Amino acid sequence: MTDLHSSSPTDDSALTISRVGDFTLGWGESLVWDGVRNRLYFVDCAVNALHWLDDGATTPQTLVMPSLATCVVLTPDGSLVAVLDDGLHRVDPDDRSIDFLSPYPDAIGGRCNDACADLDGNIITGKLNLGADPGSAWQYSTSGSWTLLDDDISNTNGPAALTIDGQSTLIVGDTAAHYYAYDYDAAAATVGPRRVFGDVTDLAGSPDGSTVDADGALWCALVLGGSQLARFTPAGFDRSIALDVTNPTDVTFGGPALDRLYVTSIGGDGELDGALLVVDGLDVSGRTEPRAHLT
């Protein structure tokens, strides 16, 4: 791991941002830490590949996917749900099996992009658009049914589920807008009126992947030239971390103590564009990632 630089966040603790390994991704995405296996998963959308690093490793293992994998979600048995061109697939990286799970509903009008598990084991995902085109966010339930949540999300990115002041809450980012929050009833697959949770109006970049920390704040990768991570709390923007990559795409806490913040990015002209980075020295850790429960 190469130490790049240190900086000081708002609490004056020293941060160290390092490169993990010497590999470069074409379009890195979908970071998730499997605390059972001590394994970090991520994808490279440019080559349809699922990668993973077992704890301490710096050279990734790889499973080539049958189509563009934009996201993977953990399940309790250690397999993954992968978001591919034609629908959701169950993937077991260890036995290298890929099994079809569900097609997308026709009403999506295309394929899905980013995804997460909610706190009840359902999957939250939504339409992939590369521009500000019509899109929507959906729940794929533990029983295998699809339900529309929001018909006005152009490109679903950075979904997350958490509890805020005792209220079950869903967050969905839209690359063409902001990160939105909703009161959320997982069993009924319904959401209340949306509100802006992460306002990026005054920040460089646009919403991409996100993760929730142990204090219930949302860490966000700001793509499209953002070169930074932003942290939002229910009170609004909290702080940012500048990065030496042009387009960070996703972020997750990992390591046995969930105290390391990993970042993927898109390859480009910069020396570190496409590198996997890790931020150490933060004064906050992550939470255990929710898992999708599938019948």
Side-chain angles (χ1 to χ4, degrees), residues 24-28 43-47 51 265-268 273-275:
T24 299
L25 305 172
W27 191 311
V43 302
D44 188 343
C45 297
V47 293
H51 299 300
S265 62
I266 299 173
D273 286 341

Side-chain angles (χ1 to χ4, degrees), residues 171-231:
I171 293 175
V172 178
D174 186 343
T175 308
H178 305 285
Y179 294 92
Y180 296 108
Y182 315 73
D183 291 350
Y184 176 51
D185 185 330
T190 57
V191 294
R194 77 183 188 187
R195 59 193 183 273
V196 175
F197 184 88
D199 188 333
V200 301
T201 301
D202 297 325
L203 298 173
S206 298
D208 209 326
S210 76
T211 194
V212 177
D213 68 27
D215 293 337
L218 189 73
W219 288 86
C220 305
L222 298 186
V223 73
L224 300 181
S227 298
Q228 64 180 321
L229 304 178
R231 183 180 191 256

Side-chain angles (χ1 to χ4, degrees), residues 29-268:
E29 286 278 8
S30 190
L31 281 160
V32 63
W33 174 260
D34 183 343
V36 174
R37 297 185 179 188
N38 282 338
R39 178 179 289 178
L40 180 70
Y41 289 107
F42 50 100
V43 302
D44 188 343
C45 297
V47 293
N48 297 349
L50 169 67
H51 299 300
W52 63 94
L53 293 171
D54 290 320
D55 189 33
T58 57
T59 300
Q61 300 183 62
T62 300
L63 176 61
V64 176
M65 308 300 284
S67 64
L68 172 63
T70 52
C71 187
V72 293
V73 179
L74 300 174
T75 74
D77 67 6
S79 65
L80 306 170
V81 176
V83 182
L84 300 181
D85 281 351
D86 59 345
L88 304 180
H89 293 244
R90 187 189 291 268
V91 177
D92 188 323
D94 290 330
D95 70 16
R96 310 187 83 78
S97 64
I98 303 172
D99 299 308
F100 188 73
L101 180 62
S102 172
Y104 303 123
D106 291 340
I108 287 181
R111 60 154 296 161
C112 287
N113 186 33
D114 205 353
C116 74
D118 69 19
L119 302 183
D120 292 86
N122 308 292
I123 292 175
I124 306 300
T125 187
K127 180 80 179 290
L128 169 65
N129 280 313
L130 297 181
D133 297 315
S136 50
W138 294 70
Q139 182 204 78
Y140 178 75
S141 74
T142 57
S143 61
S145 61
W146 289 89
T147 303
L148 175 66
L149 298 175
D150 188 336
D151 64 1
D152 187 27
I153 296 290
S154 180
N155 185 47
T156 295
N157 256 321
L162 67 161
T163 300
I164 299 177
D165 296 330
Q167 173 63 55
S168 174
T169 302
L170 182 65
I171 293 175
V172 178
D174 186 343
T175 308
H178 305 285
Y179 294 92
Y180 296 108
Y182 315 73
D183 291 350
Y184 176 51
D185 185 330
T190 57
V191 294
R194 77 183 188 187
R195 59 193 183 273
V196 175
F197 184 88
D199 188 333
V200 301
T201 301
D202 297 325
L203 298 173
S206 298
D208 209 326
S210 76
T211 194
V212 177
D213 68 27
D215 293 337
L218 189 73
W219 288 86
C220 305
L222 298 186
V223 73
L224 300 181
S227 298
Q228 64 180 321
L229 304 178
R231 183 180 191 256
F232 296 97
T233 72
F237 174 72
D238 176 62
R239 58 172 154 166
S240 63
I241 298 175
L243 300 171
D244 290 331
V245 296
T246 307
N247 290 300
T249 54
D250 201 11
V251 58
T252 199
F253 285 93
L258 295 176
D259 57 353
R260 313 191 76 196
L261 190 61
Y262 290 91
V263 185
T264 50
S265 62
I266 299 173

